[in-house]
Amino acid sequence: MTAQQVKPGDVTLERRGHVALVTLDRPQAHNALTVAMLARLAAVVREVNADDDLRVLVLTGAGSRAFSAGGDLGELIPRLTAGEVDVLIPDPTKRFFSDFYKPVVAAVNGLCLAGGLELLLGTDVRVASDRAVFGLPEVRWGLVPGAGTHVRLPQQISWPNAMQLLLTGETVDADEARRIGLIGEVVAPDEVLPRAIQLAETIAGNAPIAVRTAKEIAVRAWANEQRFGLESALNARVLASRDAREGPAAFIDKRTPRYENR
């Protein structure tokens, strides 16, 4: 078992046999994603992908309060609304874990909101704490979840449930998330990571080529590249609006947004 030494607010990689444990490590900010963290996560995923000894990736958030509360509204969103969309999505036809065919097990230990939920949608097997909360609040702040959610969410749960999450900005608890098929298991908080590791080790014990191929067939059969491209193009329209600047500003100032529909 080895762990890389990293600074707080980074993304850590720990090797546990054939399992790669990847942790979003910014607990003081509910593991909100910065530009540096997104770049580091992409680098870690490439590293795991290139290591034949690592067969399964487990993704979790540091601390007990959050998997991830989404993108850092003070740093990431201003760059996106300024037109730097590539800091989040370098390739408009790809999303989190798009070309990563090793299985990804999510261990959700608290808030899973906005970009955090978008990360979750790129995972394959999902274990959550009975205290976990899930939601897509972007429309409340003049934004849309542009990292694949409009495509992946209706593929993974029913259309009415997907649209209710997308259009209301409301949250659901772990039991409801399991009922609608967003997650697979709900366990006590102290059992989340052990159960995720257990599932990962079970998967890692199977034939690696067969496991990777099973996932690749399932992912590639959706042929989502064109759909992701459409989302990217229309998300750019939202990010260019005045409302997309007003919403995050209101969130930071802790006031009600004043939207102009422009």
Side-chain angles (χ1 to χ4, degrees), residues 14-219:
E14 180 181 337
R15 291 171 170 81
R16 298 190 176 194
H18 294 302
V19 175
L21 175 59
V22 176
T23 304
L24 307 175
D25 186 18
R26 198 185 176 208
Q28 73 281 8
H30 293 107
N31 300 317
L33 300 164
T34 64
V35 173
M37 288 175 70
L38 289 168
R40 169 68 179 156
L41 177 61
V44 166
V45 170
R46 288 193 297 271
E47 182 177 346
V48 174
N49 201 35
D51 189 337
D52 288 340
D53 199 45
L54 294 174
R55 301 178 182 177
V56 183
L57 188 155
V58 174
L59 180 66
T60 194
S64 61
R65 297 187 300 165
F67 176 74
S68 174
D72 187 306
L73 285 182
E75 188 228 25
L76 180 60
I77 302 304
R79 293 182 66 171
L80 292 176
T81 55
E84 295 183 65
V85 182
D86 59 345
V87 301
L88 178 61
I89 304 171
D91 182 343
T93 68
K94 306 296 181 184
R95 295 298 187 268
F96 295 121
F97 301 110
S98 279
D99 296 327
F100 185 78
Y101 299 128
K102 296 180 181 182
V104 182
V105 179
V108 183
N109 44 359
L111 296 176
C112 183
L113 305 174
L117 198 149
E118 298 201 276
L119 266 176
L120 185 77
L121 294 178
T123 68
D124 307 303
V125 179
R126 301 164 192 168
V127 180
S129 160
D130 56 17
R131 299 176 186 171
V133 176
F134 303 82
L136 296 163
E138 282 89 341
V139 292
R140 294 185 173 188
W141 308 110
L143 305 166
V144 295
T149 292
H150 303 90
V151 177
R152 284 171 161 169
L153 191 62
Q155 291 173 346
Q156 297 180 18
I157 67 175
S158 73
W159 179 267
N161 290 133
M163 296 310 291
Q164 186 165 337
L165 284 168
L166 279 165
L167 301 180
T168 66
E170 295 175 349
T171 60
V172 296
D173 63 19
D175 287 335
E176 178 66 3
R178 185 173 185 270
R179 187 191 71 79
I180 65 178
L182 184 62
I183 57 176
E185 294 187 25
V186 178
V187 299
D190 60 354
E191 297 175 8
V192 174
L193 188 56
R195 177 57 178 155
I197 295 292
Q198 181 184 46
L199 286 166
E201 290 175 341
T202 298
I203 295 169
N206 294 329
I209 294 175
V211 167
R212 289 197 309 273
T213 302
K215 175 175 175 177
E216 182 175 358
I217 294 168
V219 172

Side-chain angles (χ1 to χ4, degrees), residues 238-250:
V238 173
L239 290 172
S241 70
R242 292 185 184 179
D243 287 350
R245 293 189 292 274
E246 165 62 11

